[in-house]
Amino acid sequence: MHKRLIIIGSGPAGYTAAIYTARANLSPLVLAGTQSGGQLMITTDVDNYPGFPKGIQGPELMERFREQAERFGAEMIDRDVTFVDLSQRPFLVRAGDELYTCDSIIIATGANAKWIGLESELRLRGRGVSACATCDAFFFKGKNVFVVGGGDTAMEEAIFLSKFAKTVTVVHRRDALRASKIMQERAMANPKISFMWNSLVTNVIGEEHVTALEIENLKAGSKGIVPADGLFIAIGHIPSTILFTGQLETDGNGYVVVRNLTRTSVDGVFAAGDVKDARYRQAVTAAGSGCEAALDAEKYLGEHHQETIASGKIPSPEISR
Ligand code: NAP
């Protein structure tokens, strides 16, 4: 089956790209994945998405994005993409038993936070365990929180958390940080931030909410329990780019490399959201880049794939903002 545009992924970036391209009469197909909606589906309160002064639950926000895209005729299929071939035109995309061809692709497959991998960490996720201080720090006013990691993200999270929390303890598995010097200096100069070196969180304790952590000192080989109100995991993210390995330029951490905001190394293939953004990783920035990718894809299709329009199969694209 041939499509002019396929959007792979269904977080804020994918759904926003769908809203814009559907309104531009590009009849996008969104291959949303079996777990559609992205990282916000495992987030509870979203307090910083503009337009929701009282906040909104992550899954509800994503449902609204989706409804809005469907209203303009975006087709949604909740299947995982298992194969992509960007070396031929039209491009090939397989999802389930269906093999699609398409003239353009927007990649919005997102990224996932790395987790330590503890059962208790999973059970208490959203109930004291988080991987996003920007999203959740506000809920820890006057509390004692812990951050795991020694990179720039961990320092950034610790500094941000210190604006709300009473104390912030960084738990790092070695005795030297990986973070850039300037971030290290900022964190170390912050009177609310302290460090536990050579240490690993080995259990998260709490029934309804985090109450304590079990921490192992790797040098001493001993374990202890410390009271805690929150645990922020900041040990990196993994962009979902495995489908495109060897087909698109990615950076050392696996993020899609873009030029002019959304253009990838393959003409006609655009990237939006966390899959190309190691830095901001916010729902609102992902949505913004979904819009950019949509406008870029529309321009590309207008310049390179007018024939479908000329044949009268679809109305002339017309973007509305
Ligand atoms: P990162 O640099 O890979 O650091 C990950 C940290 O987590 C490391 O300290 C690592 O320990 C630790 N870690 C990894 N797996 C662990 C595990 N299972 N248990 C305990 N600790 C674990 O990741 P990042 O901090 O997310 O940064 C990613 C990239 O984005 C970097 O290039 C960074 O410079 C950039 N970034 C920049 C900014 C900024 O400029 N403002 C902000 C955020 C991120 P080891 O050190 O022992 O390996």
Side-chain angles (χ1 to χ4, degrees), residues 13 16-17 106 261-262 271-274 276-277 284-294:
T16 304
I106 294 177
L261 301 175
T262 72
D274 288 12
K276 58 114 188 164
D277 172 20
V284 68
T285 54
S289 85
C291 162
E292 290 162 355

Side-chain angles (χ1 to χ4, degrees), residues 163-183:
K163 294 176 187 159
F164 303 86
K166 187 160 104 188
T167 64
V168 181
T169 308
V170 176
V171 181
H172 184 39
R173 63 184 178 184
R174 293 187 294 129
D175 61 2
L177 295 171
R178 179 179 295 278
S180 56
K181 198 158 179 292
I182 182 154
M183 294 296 283

Side-chain angles (χ1 to χ4, degrees), residues 130-274:
S130 168
C132 178
T134 316
C135 319
D136 297 331
F138 187 78
F139 305 113
F140 292 87
K141 271 186 182 166
K143 307 276 186 188
N144 299 307
V145 300
F146 288 70
V147 176
V148 176
D152 279 331
T153 302
M155 297 309 107
E156 213 168 57
E157 302 269 278
I159 292 163
F160 189 75
L161 279 161
S162 72
K163 294 176 187 159
F164 303 86
K166 187 160 104 188
T167 64
V168 181
T169 308
V170 176
V171 181
H172 184 39
R173 63 184 178 184
R174 293 187 294 129
D175 61 2
L177 295 171
R178 179 179 295 278
S180 56
K181 198 158 179 292
I182 182 154
M183 294 296 283
Q184 295 195 21
E185 283 170 3
R186 273 190 210 151
M188 286 179 174
N190 187 315
K192 282 191 179 174
I193 300 176
S194 59
F195 291 82
M196 283 177 95
W197 303 107
N198 303 303
S199 298
L200 278 182
V201 172
T202 47
N203 198 13
V204 190
I205 298 160
E207 289 300 320
E208 290 304 311
H209 201 273
V210 174
T211 56
L213 303 174
E214 181 190 73
I215 296 181
E216 179 178 3
N217 184 307
L218 297 170
K219 276 238 162 115
S222 57
K223 283 188 180 176
I225 307 280
V226 290
D229 301 307
L231 174 66
F232 286 78
I233 311 296
I235 59 176
H237 284 75
I238 309 175
S240 304
T241 47
I242 199 150
L243 277 172
F244 313 102
T245 308
Q247 304 196 64
L248 273 183
E249 190 186 346
T250 52
D251 70 12
N253 294 315
Y255 288 88
V256 175
V257 173
V258 288
R259 58 202 149 85
N260 291 334
L261 301 175
T262 72
R263 285 164 200 266
T264 72
S265 55
V266 176
D267 253 8
V269 179
F270 303 87
D274 288 12

Side-chain angles (χ1 to χ4, degrees), residues 40-101:
L40 280 180
M41 299 303 279
I42 52 160
T43 306
T44 50
D45 304 281
V46 179
D47 267 351
N48 54 7
Y49 199 87
F52 296 94
K54 297 196 169 109
I56 184 167
Q57 297 290 298
E60 191 192 339
L61 181 61
M62 284 303 90
E63 193 46 47
R64 289 178 178 224
F65 270 62
R66 184 170 171 132
E67 260 179 52
Q68 196 170 348
E70 283 173 334
R71 188 178 129 216
F72 298 114
E75 184 185 354
M76 304 277 169
I77 296 185
D78 288 340
R79 284 206 194 117
D80 292 326
V81 173
T82 51
F83 168 80
V84 168
D85 186 347
L86 306 179
S87 68
Q88 55 175 294
R89 309 293 169 124
F91 302 124
L92 292 181
V93 177
R94 181 182 289 286
D97 295 336
E98 198 74 56
L99 185 64
Y100 300 94
T101 55

